[in-house]
Amino acid sequence: MGLIGLSCRPEQGNRTDHVKKPDWLKIKLNTNDNYKDLKKMMREKNLHTVCEEARCPNIHECWGERRTATFMILGAVCTRACRFCAVKTGLPTELDIAEPERVADSVALMNLKHTVVTAVARDDLKDGGSAIFAETIRAIRRKNPFTTVEVLPSDMGGVYENLERLMDAKPDILNHNIETVRRLTPRVRARATYDRSLELLLRAKEMQPEIPTKSSLMLGLGETHEEILETMDDLRAHKVDIMTIGQYLQPTKKHLKVQKYYSPQEFAELRKIAMSKGFSHCEAGPLVRSSYHADEQVNAAARERQRLGDEQLESLQS
């Protein structure tokens, strides 16, 4: 069954006309005390979040209502220049070895049940930043033993010793984004390749079979319905458990233009298709991003850790 009103013909990559943003993409601003407190804490701890650096449309919901945040480690300057991403590009500065402890302290201050840790691509580092990633997981676990941890690394140049170093720290979810369909990958992503991302996801599952893997697809760059389904099939063939599907939003005039805005009904249909293909969980919607409602996607073992944490908190309060 095809998507409602979705053409199977790819849009031309050089079109210049502007596609009007629909009403369902209007964002509710919420600058309440939670939002202000989190912003203040991030500045005091000298921490970065992908929520701010990548101009995530859900920042007001996550910071103002859910009190969650996605930490971005390894600095705020990326060595890649993907044509969809708002994160700064350039030559990163020195490595901050104290960063893992500051992230762990912030997780404790926020009293998070689930936290997501991502990073800029650090192609300048031999280990791709995997040592800092692994230490951040361990630091969070030392100071927050009942908090579940999801990580979202780059492909780390396809060096699987780096991936193994990260997986040995045993995150609760390994997330790596495919971002777009195979045909559009060379135009959308910098240095990363479609097959390398699939291979990383499969290798992660082979290294730690009990850890769920996850990937995200953004729509609106000129992909066809058939290509979306092919990407779903490729992810399942590489043992990916969880999928998120969202709308690409052009962050600045320098970035790729939006070719199509998908309706909430189209996203709902894509979610049904994804679940029918065997994904254990799928979030799909215009404002869905890779870490959107990530706390709802952890597996049974991780939920048990969260339950024990709730019980401990209740015993301390009684």
Side-chain angles (χ1 to χ4, degrees), residues 56 68 70 73 80 90 117 149 151 189 196 200 273 297 299:
C56 180
T68 61
T70 298
I73 61 173
R80 301 183 184 182
V117 180
V149 184
V151 293
R189 304 174 74 189
R196 183 187 291 168
L200 180 142
I273 293 172
Q297 300 161 24
N299 62 7

Side-chain angles (χ1 to χ4, degrees), residues 215-219 228 232 243-247 267 270-271 274 282-290:
S215 195
S216 183
L217 180 67
M218 56 185 173
L219 304 182
I228 296 170
M232 289 182 182
M243 185 177 190
T244 59
I245 311 171
Q247 172 70 52
F267 279 109
L270 280 173
R271 182 187 181 280
C282 178
E283 290 276 352
L287 295 178
V288 166
R289 294 297 179 265
S290 185

Side-chain angles (χ1 to χ4, degrees), residues 73-74 79-80 119-134 151-168 174-176 189-193 196-197 200-201 203-204 207:
I73 61 173
L74 298 169
T79 54
R80 301 183 184 182
V120 293
R122 290 295 301 263
D123 298 309
D124 60 312
L125 299 175
K126 185 177 180 181
D127 75 342
S130 59
I132 294 292
F133 247 121
V151 293
L152 175 54
S154 73
D155 59 23
M156 292 182 285
V159 179
Y160 296 113
E161 290 83 357
N162 295 340
L163 176 63
E164 187 171 25
R165 185 178 297 109
L166 172 59
M167 295 303 291
D168 282 348
L174 184 283
N175 185 352
H176 176 72
R189 304 174 74 189
R191 300 191 189 180
T193 70
R196 183 187 291 168
S197 287
L200 180 142
L201 287 160
R203 292 285 189 105
M207 291 173 185

Side-chain angles (χ1 to χ4, degrees), residues 165-194:
R165 185 178 297 109
L166 172 59
M167 295 303 291
D168 282 348
K170 296 198 173 178
D172 293 287
I173 296 179
L174 184 283
N175 185 352
H176 176 72
N177 293 336
I178 198 75
E179 306 291 10
T180 189
V181 300
R182 181 185 292 276
R183 174 177 60 86
L184 296 178
T185 295
R187 184 163 66 93
V188 174
R189 304 174 74 189
R191 300 191 189 180
T193 70
Y194 187 86

Side-chain angles (χ1 to χ4, degrees), residues 21-50:
K21 187 179 290 187
D23 289 341
W24 60 75
L25 281 171
K26 290 181 179 178
I27 299 167
K28 179 184 176 183
L29 301 182
N30 189 348
T31 53
N32 61 14
D33 289 343
N34 279 343
Y35 179 90
K36 293 174 183 176
D37 287 347
L38 285 183
K39 190 163 189 173
K40 183 173 181 284
M41 185 187 70
M42 294 301 173
R43 298 294 81 77
E44 290 175 347
K45 292 286 185 179
N46 192 28
L47 293 172
H48 302 284
T49 66
V50 75

Side-chain angles (χ1 to χ4, degrees), residues 113-144:
K113 288 185 178 181
H114 182 80
T115 187
V116 182
V117 180
T118 188
V120 293
R122 290 295 301 263
D123 298 309
D124 60 312
L125 299 175
K126 185 177 180 181
D127 75 342
S130 59
I132 294 292
F133 247 121
E135 184 51 39
T136 301
I137 297 169
R138 295 188 182 101
I140 292 171
R141 291 265 168 77
R142 284 195 301 270
K143 297 183 177 182
N144 311 271

Side-chain angles (χ1 to χ4, degrees), residues 209-226:
E210 74 284 1
I211 295 177
T213 53
K214 173 180 172 182
S215 195
S216 183
L217 180 67
M218 56 185 173
L219 304 182
L221 289 162
E223 64 289 321
T224 67
H225 182 204
E226 288 77 11

